[in-house]
């Protein structure tokens, strides 16, 4: 814990709060340190492609319990309008605005081959963003293949999403606001003060003083007030996989470098074992469905307003899962080698927990069915082409074809079920907690 104030609060306080009085700086530092400590022991996972309203979360306690965030001055009053919980002042966790990159070989030297990376591709340009770096910054403002992208990662709930950051015709820069909305991180637009839910890109409205009740942060005035109703951020295809998988599937891959401009220990996690089975969610306000352990890992998808979760334990056995959701075919490819950033403070010793890629298997208007052969190779029934775990055809008639990624979240059960109480689950669970 000794690195928390140094890593999160204090450098950024000096950078952002220059010009304030000594007394204000001391108060700010003390508050930020206390708030970051609260943040580190919390879990904020939420998953999905939409922001539902759960209006009756406390109605049924037959197989769960209500988890409430008590009002607390250190949490900016606990609750703010719209169910937003303010945890740390804005800007406490700095975004990376000038990313630098290195080769996969150079990155492998400090990351290791099984380290999780978020991969985004625009045209022929492919970039990987290590979770080991993202857990310290949560946002990277980048330009890939000429397209301004926003790479986001919630380290407490393992949710990685990439969005286009062209808003109302121009590129915007964002960072995390220090708030949680429905248990998930909130993105803050520096240009106009608007906020967005990290897992969904849904706008949450303009920033308020809720996240900074003592006025310690010198707010930057928006450059222009937004006109009309704000629209959701536009999702951009991305995937979470190991560094070696990303490098093998993408010859042009470059990897975000540790040369970020910030002094951080990118080989360590400040969050400890936040993914530990049996640990109770904190700073999460909602109903916890205890048909599964709250920290059960899964991948969740919403298609045509139908949510479904596939549990990692079952995916680990099958590796390839063909399914239908919302009337659309989907295929889930499970990568069992992906290391966790939530089960060890020393990332070099992090255990493998896996990650899941979710794809549309439709190619040239034809839905493919993928299967895992006895030799461990993946092929499709229709053409006999071979596929790797990144959704790329490596041989056969479809060699070079890539399946289209679908929006998905690798997250925890309590977070997904709290947002989608009527979610479908594979393997099926006994009824009892739906319809709250």
């Amino acid at each position: 814990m000794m690195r928390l104030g140094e890593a999160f609060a204090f450098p950024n306080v000096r950078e952002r709060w220059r010009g304030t009085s000594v007394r204000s700086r001391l108060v700010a530092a003390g508050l930020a340190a206390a708030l970051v400590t609260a943040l580190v022991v919390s879990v904020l996972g939420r998953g999905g492609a939409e922001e539902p309203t759960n209006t009756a979360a406390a109605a049924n306690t037959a197989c769960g319990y209500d988890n409430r965030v008590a009002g607390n001055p250190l949490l900016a009053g606990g609750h703010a309008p719209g169910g937003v919980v303010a945890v740390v002042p804005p800007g406490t966790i700095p975004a990376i605005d000038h990313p630098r990159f290195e080769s996969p070989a150079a990155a492998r030297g400090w990351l290791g081959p099984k380290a999780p990376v978020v991969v985004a591709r625009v045209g022929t340009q492919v970039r990987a963003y290590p979770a080991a770096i993202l857990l310290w910054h949560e946002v990277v403002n980048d330009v890939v293949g000429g397209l301004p992208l926003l790479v986001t990662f919630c380290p407490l709930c393992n949710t990685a999403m990439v969005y286009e950051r062209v808003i109302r015709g121009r590129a915007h820069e964002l960072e995390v606001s220090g708030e949680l909305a429905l248990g998930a991180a909130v993105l803050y637009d520096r240009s106009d003060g608007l906020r967005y839910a990290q897992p969904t890109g849904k706008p949450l409205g303009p920033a308020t003083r809720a996240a900074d009740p003592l006025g310690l942060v010198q707010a930057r005035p928006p450059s222009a007030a937004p006109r009309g109703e704000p629209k959701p951020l536009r999702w951009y295809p991305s995937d979470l996989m190991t560094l070696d998988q990303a490098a093998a599937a993408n010859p042009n891959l470059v990897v975000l470098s540790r040369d970020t401009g910030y002094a951080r220990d990118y080989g360590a996690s400040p969050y400890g074992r936040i993914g530990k089975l049996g640990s109770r969610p904190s700073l999460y306000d909602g109903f916890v469905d205890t048909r599964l352990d709250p920290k059960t890992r899964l991948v969740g998808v919403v298609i045509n307003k139908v949510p479904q979760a596939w549990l990692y334990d079952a995916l680990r056995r099958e590796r390839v899962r063909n399914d239908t959701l919302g009337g659309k075919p989907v295929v889930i490819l499970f990568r069992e080698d992906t290391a966790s950033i939530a089960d060890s403070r020393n990332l070099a010793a992090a255990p493998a927990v896996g990650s899941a890629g979710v794809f549309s298997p439709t190619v040239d208007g034809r839905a493919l069915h993928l299967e895992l052969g006895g030799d461990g190779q993946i092929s499709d029934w229709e053409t006999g082409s071979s596929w790797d775990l990144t959704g790329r055809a490596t041989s056969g008639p479809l060699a070079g074809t890539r399946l289209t990624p679908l929006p998905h979240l690798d997250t925890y059960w309590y977070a997904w079920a709290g947002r989608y109480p009527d979610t479908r689950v594979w393997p099926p669970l006994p009824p009892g907690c739906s319809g709250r």
Side-chain angles (χ1 to χ4, degrees):
M1 298 292 287
M2 66 180 180
R3 68 171 64 88
L4 296 178
E6 173 185 332
F8 280 132
F10 300 120
N12 211 49
V13 166
R14 289 195 295 269
E15 293 160 9
R16 297 285 180 89
W17 300 349
R18 289 172 179 163
T20 60
S21 68
V22 173
R23 179 179 181 275
S24 293
R25 292 182 188 180
L26 291 174
V27 173
L31 178 63
L35 294 176
V36 171
T37 300
L39 173 65
V40 169
V41 298
S42 72
V43 177
L44 49 80
R46 287 288 184 175
E50 302 167 17
E51 282 288 311
T53 300
N54 188 359
T55 58
N60 183 347
T61 58
C63 56
Y65 62 87
D66 290 308
N67 200 87
R68 296 294 175 189
V69 179
N72 185 329
L74 291 180
L75 297 178
H79 296 281
V84 175
V85 178
V87 182
V88 295
T92 301
I93 301 174
I96 297 176
D97 297 328
H98 305 288
R100 296 181 174 90
F101 294 86
E102 61 188 3
S103 69
R108 193 178 292 110
W110 67 273
L111 270 176
K114 297 182 179 180
V117 295
V118 180
V119 179
R121 167 194 302 274
V122 181
T124 59
Q125 200 166 68
V126 192
R127 294 185 173 180
Y129 305 83
I133 296 177
L134 292 175
L135 67 85
W136 289 93
H137 299 278
E138 302 192 26
V139 168
V140 178
N141 293 290
D142 200 3
V143 178
V144 184
L147 180 64
L149 290 183
L150 181 72
V151 181
T152 72
F153 184 72
C154 237
L156 296 175
C157 54
N158 202 50
T159 55
M161 293 295 277
V162 176
Y163 300 101
E164 296 182 17
R165 57 185 182 89
V166 176
I167 304 172
R168 293 178 295 279
R170 66 181 183 85
H172 286 219
E173 290 187 343
L174 290 87
E175 60 189 16
V176 287
S177 72
E179 303 161 295
L180 307 181
L182 293 176
V186 175
L187 305 173
Y188 173 76
D189 190 324
R190 298 169 182 166
S191 299
D192 55 28
L194 289 179
R195 300 170 302 158
Y196 300 85
Q198 184 268 345
T200 67
K202 180 179 178 180
L204 301 175
T208 68
R209 302 299 292 178
D212 185 25
L214 302 183
L216 300 175
V217 176
Q218 294 179 335
R220 288 164 290 184
S223 59
R227 296 181 179 180
E229 193 72 20
K231 297 180 180 180
L233 297 174
R234 184 174 180 179
W235 173 78
Y236 193 84
S238 65
D239 206 356
L240 182 70
M241 63 186 71
T242 71
L243 173 62
D244 267 9
Q245 288 165 349
N250 302 284
N252 298 329
L253 186 77
V254 293
V255 184
L256 180 66
S257 166
R258 291 175 294 175
D259 184 12
T260 63
Y262 296 92
R264 303 291 188 269
D265 183 358
Y266 294 119
S269 169
Y271 298 95
R273 297 186 63 194
I274 55 174
K276 182 180 179 182
L277 287 172
S279 57
R280 185 180 179 116
S282 60
L283 289 183
Y284 163 79
D285 187 349
F287 185 81
V288 179
D289 183 336
T290 54
R291 288 180 294 172
L292 291 171
D293 186 289
K295 298 297 177 67
T296 298
R297 291 177 180 266
L298 57 85
V299 60
V301 180
V302 179
I303 296 179
N304 292 333
K305 298 185 178 181
V306 179
Q308 175 155 338
W310 292 266
L311 305 184
Y312 270 23
D313 284 347
L315 289 173
R316 186 173 289 107
R317 292 190 295 269
E318 290 207 6
R319 298 269 301 279
V320 178
R321 173 69 182 178
N322 296 284
D323 214 329
T324 301
L325 182 62
K328 303 290 185 180
V330 298
V331 62
I332 300 93
L333 302 179
F334 187 75
R335 302 87 177 238
E336 59 185 347
D337 290 340
T338 310
S340 170
I341 64 162
D343 293 276
S344 177
R345 197 170 297 280
N346 176 9
L347 297 184
V353 295
S355 64
V358 183
F359 303 89
S360 167
T362 300
V363 177
D364 295 330
R366 176 172 56 175
L368 305 179
H369 296 79
L370 275 61
E371 65 177 356
L372 183 68
D375 57 358
Q377 299 299 308
I378 301 171
S379 61
D380 68 77
W381 298 353
E382 288 74 17
T383 74
S385 299
S386 296
W387 300 81
D388 66 17
L389 291 172
T390 71
R392 176 183 63 123
T394 57
S395 65
L398 297 179
T401 301
R402 294 181 184 270
L403 299 180
T404 302
L406 296 175
H408 62 279
L409 286 177
D410 296 82
T411 188
Y412 301 112
W413 168 246
Y414 83 90
W416 183 261
R419 183 176 299 272
Y420 299 106
D422 296 317
T423 183
R424 294 166 48 177
V425 180
W426 181 82
L429 299 179
C433 281
S434 62
R436 298 192 298 277

